[in-house]
Amino acid sequence: MNTRPFGPEKRLVSEVGLGTWQIGGSWGSVDEKTAMEILHTAASEGITFFDTADVYGNGRSEQFIGKFLRTHADNLFVATKLGRGSDPGWPENFSRKNIIKHTEASLKRLGLDHLNLTQLHCIPKEVLSEGAVFDTLRDLQHQGKIEHFGASVETVEEGLLCLEQEGLASLQVIFNIFRQKPIRELFAKAKEKNVSIIARVPLASGLLTGKMRATTTFAENDHRNYNRDGASFNVGETFAGIPFETGVALADELSTLKPEGMTLSQMALRWILDFDAVTVVIPGASRPDQVKANASISQLPPLDEGLHAKIQEFYENKVAQHIRGAY
């Protein structure tokens, strides 16, 4: 597993991380045994960056990671998030009192005395603009409760607002072949500020595996069912904001560009790692074999310049027009 430097202190983390939304049980059906197997497999494959959030399964994901850390704490970097939980909910979650409360709760579930990274979890733009939340995070950092702070954002505009804040270590953004706007509007500024990019939704909720069909169905509690049109949260979190049937057709067309011997998933993840502004990509997994497949991307060679040009052209001419929601 190759590593990349994280944030201003340049701590090395695995360039392929593990997103743990699935093991929280917020959607899908990952039981505790499978969740622990996923975490163990990730560590054995050299993955050191685990991304979670207090809202994933209402703390279930953090609890699983906390149990795992009791025997595998060495060299692991745990990034959590706060702000989207239901207690007390928006906008009260972002008061000084509640940011501290949520941080203490995450520390307890994870069994840690400090967090490697805490991230504001897709909070309203006006809260970011006002800036008091960052003062609270800096205070928690000075107290030793957190090492680093960052933000998980929905739009480039929100990302740029965060980059104005002193001490910001990272930005987590939706970034994949179907969602390329950050390349031209965010990456250079982040590099200038020594702010790490964490790439989430790298396979566009599974569209970029090339395994879905227009007839594919999802469980009632799966966001790919109830949020495909943005009914519950930002539509970009589901299928990168592209209508499902359209996304299936686009993925099929995109697959004709993949190099011989490479799957669409491999091409899509390798494409992300070819951008040096990206510190870590965080695909999720509901099975251990998916973790192994994702980790193997680190050993693939970069895509050639000609293929990058074709993928950019494909995005501009075929994909961009279909993206919905704030971006």
Side-chain angles (χ1 to χ4, degrees):
M1 172 64 65
N2 293 319
T3 58
R4 299 189 182 192
F6 177 87
E9 293 182 5
K10 307 298 186 184
R11 174 175 170 175
L12 294 179
V13 299
S14 59
E15 64 181 6
V16 179
L18 177 68
T20 63
W21 186 3
Q22 286 96 326
I23 71 170
S26 305
W27 58 283
S29 56
V30 177
D31 58 25
E32 180 173 355
K33 179 177 181 294
T34 304
M36 299 309 294
E37 288 175 352
I38 287 169
L39 294 171
H40 279 274
T41 301
S44 68
E45 293 294 317
I47 291 174
T48 61
F49 190 100
F50 290 4
D51 180 81
T52 186
D54 57 6
V55 74
Y56 294 171
N58 195 28
R60 189 169 183 256
S61 173
E62 288 184 330
Q63 289 171 341
F64 286 154
I65 293 172
K67 181 178 179 180
F68 178 77
L69 289 175
R70 289 200 286 272
T71 54
H72 294 78
D74 293 344
N75 200 37
L76 295 184
F77 189 101
V78 178
T80 193
K81 299 183 284 292
L82 61 85
R84 292 184 76 161
S86 59
D87 179 24
W90 284 25
E92 290 84 0
N93 278 339
F94 311 114
S95 70
R96 178 181 177 84
K97 173 184 174 182
N98 286 314
I99 288 174
I100 294 170
K101 181 185 80 168
H102 291 315
T103 300
E104 294 288 356
S106 288
L107 285 168
K108 183 176 180 180
R109 286 189 291 267
L110 289 163
L112 298 172
D113 58 11
H114 68 277
L115 300 172
N116 297 128
L117 173 68
T118 195
Q119 303 159 90
L120 301 171
H121 200 178
C122 303
I123 72 175
K125 186 180 75 172
E126 57 269 22
V127 178
L128 293 176
S129 299
E130 195 275 332
V133 289
F134 293 101
D135 292 332
T136 302
L137 294 175
R138 280 186 278 265
D139 286 345
L140 286 168
Q141 189 178 45
H142 292 152
Q143 293 168 26
K145 297 290 186 181
I146 60 176
E147 287 183 54
H148 306 285
F149 63 86
S152 177
V153 297
E154 303 282 11
T155 69
V156 166
E157 183 181 7
E158 291 167 357
L160 292 172
L161 282 172
C162 292
L163 286 173
E164 296 175 4
Q165 292 292 332
E166 185 69 29
L168 188 83
S170 63
L171 280 176
Q172 187 172 138
V173 299
I174 302 171
F175 181 55
N176 56 55
I177 288 177
F178 284 173
R179 196 96 166 175
Q180 298 189 25
K181 186 177 178 181
I183 298 170
R184 67 178 185 275
E185 299 193 20
L186 197 63
F187 282 5
K189 185 78 169 183
K191 287 174 64 177
E192 176 188 330
K193 296 274 190 175
N194 287 320
V195 171
S196 287
I197 295 292
I198 303 168
R200 75 176 187 277
V201 200
L203 295 175
S205 307
L207 280 178
L208 289 170
T209 65
K211 297 178 180 179
M212 293 180 176
R213 305 270 59 89
T215 55
T216 301
T217 58
F218 305 95
E220 184 178 350
N221 66 340
D222 191 321
H223 73 106
R224 295 174 294 183
N225 174 33
Y226 66 79
N227 193 62
R228 61 172 58 191
D229 295 314
S232 297
F233 42 84
N234 186 286
V235 69
E237 302 284 358
T238 306
F239 302 129
I242 297 172
F244 177 63
E245 293 80 4
T246 301
V248 170
L250 287 169
D252 286 346
E253 186 174 354
L254 179 67
S255 68
T256 64
L257 299 180
K258 68 182 189 296
E260 184 176 355
M262 187 177 286
T263 67
L264 182 58
S265 295
Q266 288 174 323
M267 182 178 77
L269 292 173
R270 183 62 252 179
W271 178 86
I272 291 171
L273 289 180
D274 285 353
F275 293 89
D276 62 2
V278 173
T279 293
V280 58
V281 58
I282 51 170
S286 55
R287 302 190 311 272
D289 64 293
Q290 292 175 334
V291 179
K292 291 183 178 181
N294 293 337
S296 70
I297 305 304
S298 181
Q299 298 305 311
L300 293 178
L303 306 180
D304 65 56
E305 292 183 6
L307 180 53
H308 269 279
K310 290 178 181 178
I311 290 173
Q312 180 182 351
E313 182 181 9
F314 178 81
Y315 166 78
E316 292 173 351
N317 295 335
K318 301 291 184 70
V319 178
Q321 61 189 299
H322 297 294
I323 297 174
R324 299 169 296 169
Y327 181 25

